[in-house]
Amino acid sequence: MRTVFVGAVEGSRAALAAICAAGHAPDLVVTLPTDLARRHSDFADLGPIAAQYDIPVHRTEKSDAPDTHAAIAAISPDIIMVIGWSQICGPAFRALAKHGAIGFHPSALPQLRGRGVIPWTILMGGTQAGASLFWLDDGVDTGDLAAQRQFSIDPEAETARSLYDKVIDALQDMLPALLSDLKAGQRPATAQDDTQASVCARRRPSDGLIDWTKPARDIHRLIRAAGPPYPGAFTTTASGETLVITAAQLCPRTGYYVGLPGQVQAVTPDLFTVYCGDGACLDVTEWSGAPPAQHTHLGRSQL
C-alpha cells in the first residue's frame, strides 16, 4: 500500500513517528517550508523523521498547488493522510489517492467540528473529549468516521497542553492500527450523525485578552485554554506593556483581599495575585517578563 503523509504541527510529527515505527512509513511527506513556521504556534518540522526513514519530502505553501499535486500523483498513492494541516484539501487533491484521503480532528466528531477545538473544549467546561480519523469529503470535518477515541477530562484543571497531549496519544494509537486495517483490505467508514453536530468558530491570538471583570474561574479557564502550545492569555500592565500569562491557580484565601478587578494584591518571587470581578482572586504562577508592582492595575482599559 502506497501512502502520502501531509502535516506540519506537533501532532503531525508524533503521528508520523508512530506509523514509521509501526512499519507504515509513507512514500512521501508533504509539509510546510520551515520559513512558514509562523503559521502555526505548534509548528513542527517533519524533515528529521523523514530523513531518519529515508522518506522524500515535498515542501509546499499550499497543498492544492499544481507542483504539489504533481509530486503526490507521481507516488500513485492508495491513501493520503492529512494530519495537522489547516488547509482545505479539495476534490482534485483527494482524487490523487486511489482509496481517498484520511483527515484528523481533535474531537469526537460530529461534535466540535471546525477550528480552535482544543481551546473551545476547555472553555466549554466539559468532562469528555476525543479524537477522530475520518474520510475527507466536500464538507469540513463531515466525512465518514474511520476511527475514534473518547476520554475523560477534568473541567477544572485541564490545560491546552494536557489536552493536546491526550489527543496526540489517541492519534498515535489510532493511525497505525487504521493503516494495518487498510493494508488488510478493510475500509472502516461510519457516517456521522449530523443531528448531533456542533461547529467551533475560529480563534485568534486576540481572543486571549483577559477581562478582569469576569469571575476568577472564567479567567482561570481562559488561561488554561489559551496557553501552550497556543499563544497564551494576556493582559496589559500599568505601563501599557503586554503581559502573557500561561499558568494560574485560584487563590485559596477567599474574602481576604479587597480591591478592584485587575488590581495586583500581592507579589512574591513565585507568583502575583490579581483581584477578579467576582471578588475572588487568581494567583498567577507563570508569565512573561517582570511581575507587575503591587496595587497596580492590569487591563485598566477594561474597567
Side-chain angles (χ1 to χ4, degrees):
M1 184 175 70
R2 297 180 65 78
T3 63
V4 171
F5 186 96
V6 183
V9 300
E10 288 182 37
S12 314
R13 181 171 58 194
L16 179 59
I19 63 174
C20 288
H24 296 300
D27 298 279
L28 177 69
V29 167
V30 176
T31 190
L32 285 175
T34 54
D35 60 1
L36 294 180
R38 65 186 182 280
R39 285 189 178 179
H40 301 280
S41 59
D42 57 341
F43 173 82
D45 184 11
L46 306 188
I49 295 176
Q52 179 183 349
Y53 288 91
D54 199 26
I55 306 167
V57 175
H58 176 80
R59 295 187 183 272
T60 183
E61 183 176 351
K62 295 182 179 180
S63 50
D64 275 342
D67 64 324
T68 302
H69 281 208
I72 295 173
I75 301 298
S76 298
D78 296 291
I79 298 290
I80 300 173
M81 295 165 277
V82 183
I83 310 295
W85 189 257
S86 61
Q87 302 175 35
I88 297 296
C89 298
F93 175 94
R94 302 194 303 270
L96 295 170
K98 180 179 179 181
H99 299 301
I102 296 167
F104 172 71
H105 195 69
S107 79
L109 291 172
Q111 298 174 23
L112 304 183
R113 295 169 176 168
R115 306 289 292 274
V117 173
I118 287 177
W120 281 122
T121 300
I122 295 171
L123 289 168
M124 292 170 64
T127 60
Q128 293 288 313
S132 304
L133 290 168
F134 64 102
W135 296 98
L136 297 181
D137 63 8
D138 289 333
V140 178
D141 306 323
T142 57
D144 291 349
L145 295 171
Q148 187 174 91
R149 296 287 187 276
Q150 297 188 46
F151 44 85
S152 298
I153 60 174
D154 184 343
E156 300 301 323
E158 205 73 48
T159 66
R161 179 76 267 171
S162 65
L163 180 52
Y164 192 105
D165 290 344
K166 289 176 182 177
V167 165
I168 288 178
D169 287 345
L171 173 60
Q172 289 177 302
D173 178 53
M174 289 190 296
L175 189 55
L178 176 59
L179 290 175
S180 293
D181 289 343
L182 294 170
K183 191 173 182 179
Q186 302 176 43
R187 193 182 187 279
T190 302
Q192 295 187 38
D193 182 356
D194 285 340
T195 66
Q196 301 299 312
S198 55
V199 180
C200 297
R202 178 181 180 180
R203 290 188 62 81
R204 293 177 170 83
S206 58
D207 295 324
L209 177 64
I210 297 172
D211 179 354
W212 294 105
T213 66
K214 297 287 187 180
R217 287 188 180 276
D218 290 353
I219 299 171
H220 185 222
R221 188 174 293 117
L222 174 63
I223 291 168
R224 290 187 283 112
Y230 307 118
F234 67 96
T235 187
T236 54
T237 66
S239 61
E241 297 177 352
T242 298
L243 184 69
V244 178
I245 297 174
T246 52
Q249 60 194 24
L250 296 172
C251 180
R253 304 191 74 171
T254 59
Y256 180 74
Y257 293 110
V258 177
L260 294 171
Q263 192 165 24
V264 178
Q265 301 284 25
V267 179
T268 74
D270 299 321
L271 59 83
F272 61 88
T273 302
V274 187
Y275 194 87
C276 301
D278 60 348
C281 291
L282 275 181
D283 289 336
V284 176
T285 56
E286 290 182 12
W287 65 91
S288 65
Q294 187 177 8
H295 304 311
T296 58
H297 294 268
L298 301 177
R300 169 63 92 169
S301 61
Q302 299 176 56
L303 299 181

Short mmCIF file of all heavy atoms in Angstrom, two decimals, residues 21-82:
data_model
loop_
_atom_site.label_atom_id
_atom_site.label_comp_id
_atom_site.label_asym_id
_atom_site.label_seq_id
_atom_site.Cartn_x
_atom_site.Cartn_y
_atom_site.Cartn_z
N ALA A 21 7.41 3.84 13.01
CA ALA A 21 7.87 2.83 13.97
C ALA A 21 7.06 1.54 13.85
O ALA A 21 7.56 0.46 14.14
CB ALA A 21 7.78 3.37 15.39
N ALA A 22 5.81 1.67 13.38
CA ALA A 22 4.94 0.50 13.24
C ALA A 22 5.09 -0.17 11.88
O ALA A 22 4.35 -1.12 11.56
CB ALA A 22 3.48 0.92 13.46
N GLY A 23 6.02 0.29 11.07
CA GLY A 23 6.25 -0.32 9.77
C GLY A 23 5.39 0.21 8.66
O GLY A 23 5.25 -0.42 7.60
N HIS A 24 4.81 1.41 8.86
CA HIS A 24 3.93 2.01 7.85
C HIS A 24 4.51 3.33 7.33
O HIS A 24 3.78 4.30 7.11
CB HIS A 24 2.54 2.26 8.42
CG HIS A 24 1.81 1.02 8.82
ND1 HIS A 24 1.50 0.01 7.93
CD2 HIS A 24 1.33 0.61 10.03
CE1 HIS A 24 0.85 -0.95 8.56
NE2 HIS A 24 0.73 -0.62 9.83
N ALA A 25 5.80 3.40 7.14
CA ALA A 25 6.41 4.65 6.66
C ALA A 25 5.79 5.05 5.32
O ALA A 25 5.66 4.20 4.42
CB ALA A 25 7.92 4.47 6.51
N PRO A 26 5.40 6.30 5.16
CA PRO A 26 4.79 6.73 3.89
C PRO A 26 5.84 6.83 2.79
O PRO A 26 7.04 6.82 3.04
CB PRO A 26 4.22 8.11 4.24
CG PRO A 26 5.10 8.61 5.33
CD PRO A 26 5.47 7.39 6.14
N ASP A 27 5.35 6.93 1.56
CA ASP A 27 6.24 7.04 0.41
C ASP A 27 6.60 8.49 0.10
O ASP A 27 7.52 8.74 -0.67
CB ASP A 27 5.57 6.40 -0.81
CG ASP A 27 5.32 4.92 -0.59
OD1 ASP A 27 6.27 4.13 -0.76
OD2 ASP A 27 4.18 4.56 -0.21
N LEU A 28 5.90 9.43 0.72
CA LEU A 28 6.19 10.86 0.55
C LEU A 28 5.63 11.61 1.74
O LEU A 28 4.54 11.30 2.23
CB LEU A 28 5.55 11.40 -0.74
CG LEU A 28 5.69 12.89 -1.02
CD1 LEU A 28 7.15 13.25 -1.35
CD2 LEU A 28 4.78 13.34 -2.16
N VAL A 29 6.39 12.60 2.21
CA VAL A 29 5.91 13.53 3.24
C VAL A 29 5.74 14.90 2.61
O VAL A 29 6.66 15.41 1.95
CB VAL A 29 6.90 13.61 4.42
CG1 VAL A 29 6.57 14.81 5.32
CG2 VAL A 29 6.87 12.33 5.24
N VAL A 30 4.58 15.50 2.79
CA VAL A 30 4.28 16.85 2.32
C VAL A 30 4.13 17.74 3.53
O VAL A 30 3.35 17.45 4.44
CB VAL A 30 2.99 16.88 1.47
CG1 VAL A 30 2.66 18.31 1.05
CG2 VAL A 30 3.13 15.98 0.24
N THR A 31 4.88 18.83 3.57
CA THR A 31 4.85 19.71 4.74
C THR A 31 5.19 21.14 4.34
O THR A 31 5.49 21.42 3.16
CB THR A 31 5.83 19.20 5.82
OG1 THR A 31 5.62 19.92 7.03
CG2 THR A 31 7.29 19.33 5.37
N LEU A 32 5.12 22.05 5.29
CA LEU A 32 5.41 23.45 5.03
C LEU A 32 6.91 23.70 4.96
O LEU A 32 7.69 23.02 5.64
CB LEU A 32 4.84 24.34 6.15
CG LEU A 32 3.35 24.60 6.20
CD1 LEU A 32 3.02 25.40 7.46
CD2 LEU A 32 2.86 25.34 4.96
N PRO A 33 7.33 24.71 4.19
CA PRO A 33 8.72 25.18 4.31
C PRO A 33 8.94 25.71 5.71
O PRO A 33 8.03 26.27 6.34
CB PRO A 33 8.80 26.31 3.26
CG PRO A 33 7.63 26.09 2.35
CD PRO A 33 6.57 25.47 3.18
N THR A 34 10.13 25.56 6.24
CA THR A 34 10.40 25.99 7.61
C THR A 34 10.26 27.50 7.78
O THR A 34 10.00 27.97 8.89
CB THR A 34 11.79 25.53 8.06
OG1 THR A 34 12.76 25.99 7.11
CG2 THR A 34 11.87 24.02 8.15
N ASP A 35 10.41 28.27 6.70
CA ASP A 35 10.27 29.72 6.84
C ASP A 35 8.81 30.15 6.99
O ASP A 35 8.52 31.33 7.19
CB ASP A 35 10.94 30.46 5.68
CG ASP A 35 10.35 30.12 4.32
OD1 ASP A 35 9.40 29.32 4.25
OD2 ASP A 35 10.84 30.65 3.31
N LEU A 36 7.88 29.18 6.93
CA LEU A 36 6.47 29.48 7.19
C LEU A 36 6.02 28.92 8.54
O LEU A 36 4.82 28.77 8.79
CB LEU A 36 5.60 28.90 6.06
CG LEU A 36 5.78 29.54 4.68
CD1 LEU A 36 4.85 28.87 3.67
CD2 LEU A 36 5.51 31.04 4.73
N ALA A 37 6.98 28.63 9.40
CA ALA A 37 6.66 28.08 10.72
C ALA A 37 5.73 29.00 11.51
O ALA A 37 4.95 28.54 12.35
CB ALA A 37 7.95 27.84 11.50
N ARG A 38 5.78 30.29 11.22
CA ARG A 38 4.95 31.26 11.95
C ARG A 38 3.45 31.00 11.78
O ARG A 38 2.63 31.52 12.56
CB ARG A 38 5.27 32.67 11.47
CG ARG A 38 4.90 32.91 10.02
CD ARG A 38 5.35 34.27 9.51
NE ARG A 38 4.95 34.49 8.12
CZ ARG A 38 5.59 34.01 7.06
NH1 ARG A 38 6.68 33.27 7.24
NH2 ARG A 38 5.16 34.26 5.84
N ARG A 39 3.08 30.22 10.80
CA ARG A 39 1.66 29.95 10.57
C ARG A 39 1.03 29.17 11.71
O ARG A 39 -0.18 29.20 11.90
CB ARG A 39 1.48 29.14 9.27
CG ARG A 39 1.64 29.95 7.99
CD ARG A 39 1.22 29.10 6.81
NE ARG A 39 1.30 29.82 5.55
CZ ARG A 39 1.00 29.28 4.38
NH1 ARG A 39 0.60 28.01 4.33
NH2 ARG A 39 1.10 29.98 3.27
N HIS A 40 1.84 28.40 12.44
CA HIS A 40 1.32 27.54 13.49
C HIS A 40 2.12 27.74 14.77
O HIS A 40 3.34 27.60 14.76
CB HIS A 40 1.41 26.07 13.08
CG HIS A 40 0.67 25.73 11.83
ND1 HIS A 40 -0.69 25.53 11.80
CD2 HIS A 40 1.10 25.55 10.55
CE1 HIS A 40 -1.07 25.24 10.56
NE2 HIS A 40 0.00 25.24 9.79
N SER A 41 1.44 28.02 15.86
CA SER A 41 2.14 28.14 17.14
C SER A 41 2.72 26.80 17.56
O SER A 41 3.68 26.75 18.35
CB SER A 41 1.20 28.68 18.23
OG SER A 41 0.08 27.82 18.39
N ASP A 42 2.16 25.70 17.04
CA ASP A 42 2.66 24.36 17.36
C ASP A 42 3.37 23.73 16.15
O ASP A 42 3.39 22.49 16.02
CB ASP A 42 1.53 23.47 17.84
CG ASP A 42 0.37 23.35 16.83
OD1 ASP A 42 0.28 24.21 15.93
OD2 ASP A 42 -0.42 22.40 16.93
N PHE A 43 3.97 24.56 15.30
CA PHE A 43 4.68 24.05 14.12
C PHE A 43 5.74 23.03 14.52
O PHE A 43 6.42 23.17 15.55
CB PHE A 43 5.34 25.20 13.37
CG PHE A 43 6.23 24.74 12.23
CD1 PHE A 43 5.68 24.42 11.00
CD2 PHE A 43 7.60 24.62 12.41
CE1 PHE A 43 6.49 23.99 9.95
CE2 PHE A 43 8.42 24.19 11.37
CZ PHE A 43 7.86 23.87 10.13
N ALA A 44 5.90 22.01 13.69
CA ALA A 44 6.96 21.01 13.88
C ALA A 44 7.52 20.64 12.51
O ALA A 44 6.76 20.39 11.56
CB ALA A 44 6.43 19.78 14.59
N ASP A 45 8.82 20.61 12.40
CA ASP A 45 9.49 20.23 11.16
C ASP A 45 9.49 18.71 11.03
O ASP A 45 10.03 18.00 11.89
CB ASP A 45 10.91 20.78 11.14
CG ASP A 45 11.64 20.49 9.83
OD1 ASP A 45 10.98 20.06 8.87
OD2 ASP A 45 12.86 20.73 9.78
N LEU A 46 8.91 18.18 9.97
CA LEU A 46 8.86 16.74 9.75
C LEU A 46 10.10 16.21 9.05
O LEU A 46 10.25 14.99 8.89
CB LEU A 46 7.61 16.37 8.93
CG LEU A 46 6.26 16.86 9.47
CD1 LEU A 46 5.13 16.25 8.66
CD2 LEU A 46 6.10 16.55 10.94
N GLY A 47 10.97 17.12 8.63
CA GLY A 47 12.16 16.72 7.89
C GLY A 47 13.04 15.71 8.59
O GLY A 47 13.47 14.72 7.98
N PRO A 48 13.36 15.89 9.89
CA PRO A 48 14.24 14.94 10.56
C PRO A 48 13.70 13.51 10.60
O PRO A 48 14.46 12.55 10.39
CB PRO A 48 14.38 15.53 11.96
CG PRO A 48 14.21 17.00 11.76
CD PRO A 48 13.14 17.11 10.71
N ILE A 49 12.40 13.34 10.86
CA ILE A 49 11.84 11.99 10.87
C ILE A 49 11.87 11.40 9.46
O ILE A 49 12.20 10.22 9.26
CB ILE A 49 10.41 11.98 11.44
CG1 ILE A 49 10.43 12.38 12.92
CG2 ILE A 49 9.77 10.60 11.27
CD1 ILE A 49 9.06 12.50 13.53
N ALA A 50 11.52 12.22 8.47
CA ALA A 50 11.56 11.74 7.09
C ALA A 50 12.97 11.29 6.72
O ALA A 50 13.16 10.24 6.09
CB ALA A 50 11.08 12.83 6.15
N ALA A 51 13.97 12.05 7.13
CA ALA A 51 15.36 11.69 6.82
C ALA A 51 15.75 10.39 7.51
O ALA A 51 16.46 9.55 6.94
CB ALA A 51 16.29 12.82 7.24
N GLN A 52 15.27 10.22 8.74
CA GLN A 52 15.59 9.01 9.50
C GLN A 52 15.10 7.75 8.78
O GLN A 52 15.77 6.71 8.80
CB GLN A 52 14.97 9.09 10.89
CG GLN A 52 15.21 7.88 11.78
CD GLN A 52 14.51 8.01 13.12
OE1 GLN A 52 14.01 9.08 13.48
NE2 GLN A 52 14.46 6.92 13.87
N TYR A 53 13.95 7.86 8.11
CA TYR A 53 13.37 6.71 7.42
C TYR A 53 13.53 6.80 5.91
O TYR A 53 12.89 6.04 5.18
CB TYR A 53 11.88 6.58 7.80
CG TYR A 53 11.67 6.11 9.22
CD1 TYR A 53 11.54 7.03 10.26
CD2 TYR A 53 11.63 4.76 9.52
CE1 TYR A 53 11.36 6.60 11.57
CE2 TYR A 53 11.43 4.32 10.83
CZ TYR A 53 11.31 5.26 11.85
OH TYR A 53 11.13 4.82 13.14
N ASP A 54 14.38 7.71 5.46
CA ASP A 54 14.69 7.85 4.03
C ASP A 54 13.44 8.09 3.20
O ASP A 54 13.24 7.50 2.13
CB ASP A 54 15.44 6.61 3.52
CG ASP A 54 16.17 6.87 2.21
OD1 ASP A 54 16.53 8.04 1.96
OD2 ASP A 54 16.39 5.91 1.44
N ILE A 55 12.57 8.99 3.69
CA ILE A 55 11.33 9.33 3.00
C ILE A 55 11.53 10.66 2.28
O ILE A 55 11.95 11.64 2.90
CB ILE A 55 10.15 9.47 4.00
CG1 ILE A 55 10.02 8.21 4.86
CG2 ILE A 55 8.85 9.75 3.26
CD1 ILE A 55 9.10 8.40 6.05
N PRO A 56 11.23 10.76 0.99
CA PRO A 56 11.34 12.05 0.31
C PRO A 56 10.34 13.06 0.87
O PRO A 56 9.24 12.69 1.33
CB PRO A 56 11.03 11.71 -1.15
CG PRO A 56 10.32 10.40 -1.11
CD PRO A 56 10.81 9.67 0.09
N VAL A 57 10.74 14.33 0.86
CA VAL A 57 9.91 15.40 1.42
C VAL A 57 9.61 16.43 0.33
O VAL A 57 10.51 16.87 -0.39
CB VAL A 57 10.62 16.10 2.60
CG1 VAL A 57 9.81 17.30 3.10
CG2 VAL A 57 10.87 15.12 3.74
N HIS A 58 8.35 16.81 0.24
CA HIS A 58 7.94 17.90 -0.65
C HIS A 58 7.42 19.02 0.23
O HIS A 58 6.43 18.84 0.96
CB HIS A 58 6.84 17.43 -1.61
CG HIS A 58 6.30 18.52 -2.48
ND1 HIS A 58 6.93 18.98 -3.61
CD2 HIS A 58 5.17 19.27 -2.36
CE1 HIS A 58 6.23 19.94 -4.17
NE2 HIS A 58 5.14 20.15 -3.42
N ARG A 59 8.07 20.17 0.19
CA ARG A 59 7.64 21.32 0.98
C ARG A 59 6.82 22.26 0.11
O ARG A 59 7.23 22.60 -1.01
CB ARG A 59 8.85 22.04 1.59
CG ARG A 59 9.61 21.17 2.60
CD ARG A 59 10.70 21.95 3.31
NE ARG A 59 11.46 21.10 4.21
CZ ARG A 59 11.14 20.86 5.49
NH1 ARG A 59 10.06 21.42 6.00
NH2 ARG A 59 11.89 20.07 6.24
N THR A 60 5.69 22.68 0.63
CA THR A 60 4.77 23.48 -0.16
C THR A 60 4.03 24.48 0.71
O THR A 60 3.74 24.21 1.88
CB THR A 60 3.76 22.60 -0.90
OG1 THR A 60 2.91 23.41 -1.72
CG2 THR A 60 2.88 21.82 0.08
N GLU A 61 3.70 25.61 0.13
CA GLU A 61 2.89 26.60 0.84
C GLU A 61 1.42 26.22 0.82
O GLU A 61 0.68 26.48 1.76
CB GLU A 61 3.08 27.97 0.18
CG GLU A 61 2.33 29.10 0.87
CD GLU A 61 2.61 30.45 0.25
OE1 GLU A 61 3.52 30.55 -0.60
OE2 GLU A 61 1.92 31.42 0.62
N LYS A 62 1.01 25.56 -0.28
CA LYS A 62 -0.40 25.18 -0.44
C LYS A 62 -0.50 23.74 -0.94
O LYS A 62 0.14 23.38 -1.93
CB LYS A 62 -1.10 26.12 -1.42
CG LYS A 62 -1.20 27.57 -0.95
CD LYS A 62 -1.94 28.42 -1.96
CE LYS A 62 -2.07 29.86 -1.48
NZ LYS A 62 -2.79 30.71 -2.48
N SER A 63 -1.32 22.97 -0.28
CA SER A 63 -1.47 21.57 -0.68
C SER A 63 -2.18 21.42 -2.02
O SER A 63 -2.07 20.37 -2.67
CB SER A 63 -2.22 20.78 0.40
OG SER A 63 -3.41 21.44 0.78
N ASP A 64 -2.92 22.44 -2.45
CA ASP A 64 -3.58 22.37 -3.75
C ASP A 64 -2.76 23.01 -4.87
O ASP A 64 -3.27 23.22 -5.97
CB ASP A 64 -4.97 23.03 -3.68
CG ASP A 64 -6.04 22.07 -3.17
OD1 ASP A 64 -5.80 20.84 -3.21
OD2 ASP A 64 -7.11 22.53 -2.75
N ALA A 65 -1.49 23.33 -4.62
CA ALA A 65 -0.62 23.89 -5.65
C ALA A 65 -0.35 22.83 -6.73
O ALA A 65 -0.23 21.65 -6.42
CB ALA A 65 0.69 24.36 -5.05
N PRO A 66 -0.27 23.23 -8.00
CA PRO A 66 -0.05 22.26 -9.08
C PRO A 66 1.19 21.39 -8.88
O PRO A 66 1.14 20.18 -9.15
CB PRO A 66 0.09 23.15 -10.32
CG PRO A 66 -0.72 24.38 -9.99
CD PRO A 66 -0.50 24.60 -8.53
N ASP A 67 2.30 21.99 -8.41
CA ASP A 67 3.50 21.17 -8.24
C ASP A 67 3.34 20.16 -7.11
O ASP A 67 3.93 19.07 -7.14
CB ASP A 67 4.73 22.05 -8.01
CG ASP A 67 4.64 22.85 -6.72
OD1 ASP A 67 3.53 23.28 -6.34
OD2 ASP A 67 5.70 23.05 -6.07
N THR A 68 2.52 20.50 -6.12
CA THR A 68 2.25 19.56 -5.03
C THR A 68 1.40 18.41 -5.52
O THR A 68 1.65 17.23 -5.21
CB THR A 68 1.57 20.28 -3.86
OG1 THR A 68 2.40 21.34 -3.41
CG2 THR A 68 1.31 19.32 -2.71
N HIS A 69 0.39 18.72 -6.32
CA HIS A 69 -0.42 17.66 -6.92
C HIS A 69 0.45 16.74 -7.77
O HIS A 69 0.28 15.51 -7.74
CB HIS A 69 -1.54 18.26 -7.77
CG HIS A 69 -2.70 18.75 -6.97
ND1 HIS A 69 -3.98 18.81 -7.46
CD2 HIS A 69 -2.78 19.21 -5.69
CE1 HIS A 69 -4.80 19.29 -6.53
NE2 HIS A 69 -4.09 19.55 -5.45
N ALA A 70 1.37 17.33 -8.51
CA ALA A 70 2.24 16.52 -9.38
C ALA A 70 3.14 15.61 -8.54
O ALA A 70 3.35 14.44 -8.89
CB ALA A 70 3.08 17.44 -10.27
N ALA A 71 3.66 16.13 -7.42
CA ALA A 71 4.53 15.33 -6.57
C ALA A 71 3.76 14.16 -5.95
O ALA A 71 4.29 13.04 -5.85
CB ALA A 71 5.13 16.20 -5.47
N ILE A 72 2.52 14.40 -5.56
CA ILE A 72 1.71 13.33 -4.98
C ILE A 72 1.31 12.33 -6.06
O ILE A 72 1.37 11.10 -5.86
CB ILE A 72 0.47 13.91 -4.27
CG1 ILE A 72 0.91 14.76 -3.07
CG2 ILE A 72 -0.47 12.80 -3.84
CD1 ILE A 72 -0.23 15.51 -2.40
N ALA A 73 0.90 12.84 -7.21
CA ALA A 73 0.48 11.96 -8.31
C ALA A 73 1.60 11.02 -8.73
O ALA A 73 1.35 9.86 -9.11
CB ALA A 73 0.01 12.79 -9.49
N ALA A 74 2.84 11.48 -8.64
CA ALA A 74 3.98 10.65 -9.03
C ALA A 74 4.12 9.42 -8.13
O ALA A 74 4.71 8.41 -8.54
CB ALA A 74 5.27 11.47 -9.00
N ILE A 75 3.58 9.50 -6.92
CA ILE A 75 3.62 8.37 -5.98
C ILE A 75 2.53 7.35 -6.30
O ILE A 75 2.65 6.18 -5.95
CB ILE A 75 3.46 8.89 -4.53
CG1 ILE A 75 4.59 9.87 -4.18
CG2 ILE A 75 3.44 7.75 -3.51
CD1 ILE A 75 5.97 9.27 -4.23
N SER A 76 1.44 7.80 -6.96
CA SER A 76 0.25 6.97 -7.19
C SER A 76 -0.23 6.35 -5.88
O SER A 76 -0.34 5.13 -5.73
CB SER A 76 0.56 5.86 -8.20
OG SER A 76 0.90 6.41 -9.46
N PRO A 77 -0.55 7.20 -4.89
CA PRO A 77 -0.88 6.66 -3.57
C PRO A 77 -2.24 5.97 -3.51
O PRO A 77 -3.17 6.34 -4.23
CB PRO A 77 -0.87 7.91 -2.69
CG PRO A 77 -1.27 9.02 -3.61
CD PRO A 77 -0.64 8.67 -4.93
N ASP A 78 -2.33 5.00 -2.65
CA ASP A 78 -3.63 4.41 -2.32
C ASP A 78 -4.36 5.28 -1.31
O ASP A 78 -5.59 5.41 -1.38
CB ASP A 78 -3.42 3.01 -1.74
CG ASP A 78 -2.81 2.05 -2.74
OD1 ASP A 78 -3.49 1.69 -3.71
OD2 ASP A 78 -1.63 1.70 -2.56
N ILE A 79 -3.61 5.85 -0.36
CA ILE A 79 -4.19 6.65 0.72
C ILE A 79 -3.32 7.89 0.93
O ILE A 79 -2.09 7.83 0.88
CB ILE A 79 -4.23 5.86 2.05
CG1 ILE A 79 -5.13 4.62 1.91
CG2 ILE A 79 -4.70 6.73 3.21
CD1 ILE A 79 -6.60 4.93 1.78
N ILE A 80 -3.98 9.03 1.17
CA ILE A 80 -3.30 10.23 1.64
C ILE A 80 -3.75 10.49 3.07
O ILE A 80 -4.95 10.47 3.36
CB ILE A 80 -3.62 11.47 0.77
CG1 ILE A 80 -3.20 11.23 -0.68
CG2 ILE A 80 -2.92 12.71 1.33
CD1 ILE A 80 -3.64 12.34 -1.63
N MET A 81 -2.80 10.70 3.96
CA MET A 81 -3.11 11.05 5.35
C MET A 81 -2.89 12.55 5.55
O MET A 81 -1.78 13.04 5.31
CB MET A 81 -2.21 10.27 6.31
CG MET A 81 -2.43 8.78 6.31
SD MET A 81 -1.05 7.90 7.14
CE MET A 81 0.14 7.80 5.79
N VAL A 82 -3.91 13.26 5.97
CA VAL A 82 -3.82 14.70 6.21
C VAL A 82 -3.95 14.90 7.72
O VAL A 82 -5.05 14.90 8.28
CB VAL A 82 -4.91 15.48 5.45
CG1 VAL A 82 -4.75 16.97 5.66
CG2 VAL A 82 -4.86 15.13 3.96
#
